[in-house]
Amino acid sequence: MSVASKWGSKKQRAEAILAKLKILYPDATCSLDYQTTLQLLVATILSAQCTDERVNKVTPALFKRFPDARSLAGCDLAKPALREREELETLIRSTGFYRNKAKNIQGAARKIVAEYGGEVPQTMAELITLPGVGRKTANVVLAHGFGIVEGVTVDTHVKRLSKRLGLTEYQDPIRVERDLMKLLPQPDWENWSIRLIYHGRAICKARSPNCDDCQLAHLCPSAGSSNI
DNA sequence: ATCCCGAGGG
DNA sequence: CCCTCTGGAT
């Protein structure tokens, strides 16, 4: 029996999954800790290939030492930039990829100071010109920082679960995003990602998905299968 | 396709 | 030991 005949159309199933997610995770929000949009941007860059829990362990000291774009850019310090970057690297070291992340955070901060008056720009086109900022990071900053939903945030969890749920065949995040944008109502794009991430962390884990405890199993073509 | 990178789980 | 964690640049 085909997936379509057993579960209805892809779009119907997507909306049924969305409705169930809203019940399962009614209060789901971005789990990164931050006070300003700049801090949200920095925390999101740090979250690459790293748990949010770990990011939240380093950001209190990080944001105390470097509270805004100007301080991250090194403009208000007499110290040479290299010394400053080493200090930044030390503060974020445990998040992994720390050399690239430090370089990107400082590069992004400098560009924000030089070209945007120290304020995080509010468009996708501008955000993705910042070093270390791709479409995923830009979507997070736009949605949570500015309330602008231009697309669906596709990270490792959203990609994995959307594929397991039979809503896309692709691996490429851009194509996954395009499929999800067609299947889901625009006002739900952002909360879809947040809730799917919660579900991915708690139940539909990358290595060993807990299909026995999954409230979406009746809507999932991969449930109980080893073919995932 | 490959590299960057540490920490935690199994 | 190997895999994964809210990726992005080359």
Side-chain angles (χ1 to χ4, degrees):
Chain A
M1 183 184 289
S2 73
V3 169
S5 59
K6 186 172 175 184
W7 280 284
S9 77
K10 215 183 255 190
K11 190 157 188 166
Q12 288 175 323
R13 208 170 74 260
E15 302 217 15
I17 292 165
L18 176 64
K20 190 69 177 175
L21 285 171
K22 289 181 181 180
I23 295 170
L24 291 173
Y25 309 103
D27 302 318
T29 56
C30 177
S31 43
L32 294 169
D33 297 335
Y34 62 94
Q35 294 293 326
T36 67
T37 310
L38 189 279
Q39 292 181 355
L40 170 62
L41 174 65
V42 171
T44 308
I45 291 174
L46 290 176
S47 73
Q49 300 295 292
C50 174
T51 61
D52 285 13
E53 189 181 357
R54 177 147 299 282
V55 173
N56 289 337
K57 283 187 174 181
V58 310
T59 45
L62 175 63
F63 295 153
K64 186 175 182 185
R65 173 66 184 84
F66 299 107
D68 52 28
R70 247 166 268 280
S71 58
L72 280 166
C75 298
D76 61 351
L77 296 174
K79 296 175 182 175
L82 185 59
R83 170 70 182 79
E84 176 119 304
R85 186 146 90 212
E86 286 169 0
E87 196 176 349
L88 182 53
E89 286 178 355
T90 301
L91 284 165
I92 68 172
R93 187 174 168 284
S94 68
T95 65
F97 297 165
Y98 64 92
R99 278 192 280 266
N100 276 338
K101 287 176 181 175
K103 184 168 52 170
N104 288 335
I105 287 167
Q106 193 168 59
R110 286 182 174 169
K111 190 160 186 174
I112 287 168
V113 170
E115 299 183 19
Y116 301 103
E119 299 297 317
V120 180
Q122 305 193 20
T123 69
M124 173 65 70
E126 291 170 315
L127 282 167
I128 62 177
T129 69
L130 300 173
V133 179
R135 204 177 158 79
K136 180 261 168 182
T137 299
N139 269 329
V140 170
V141 171
L142 286 172
H144 299 280
F146 301 119
I148 300 168
V149 181
E150 287 198 17
V152 181
T153 301
V154 177
D155 65 356
T156 181
H157 291 298
V158 175
K159 184 174 74 171
R160 182 180 72 251
L161 271 67
S162 297
K163 190 171 168 66
R164 285 178 177 172
L165 287 163
L167 302 179
T168 184
E169 306 291 322
Y170 296 112
Q171 293 289 341
D172 175 13
I174 300 292
R175 289 179 170 162
V176 173
E177 181 176 4
R178 197 184 312 145
D179 281 348
L180 293 173
M181 288 168 76
K182 283 188 286 190
L183 291 170
L184 299 165
Q186 191 271 350
D188 288 306
W189 288 352
E190 176 244 338
N191 77 71
W192 167 267
S193 298
I194 292 292
R195 294 192 164 108
L196 220 54
I197 288 164
Y198 270 69
H199 195 66
R201 283 201 285 246
I203 305 289
C204 193
K205 292 178 276 190
R207 186 132 29 143
S208 53
N210 191 353
C211 300
D212 291 342
D213 294 332
C214 181
Q215 302 291 320
L216 301 176
H218 63 295
L219 295 164
C220 181
S222 305
S225 133
S226 55
N227 183 25
I228 50 178

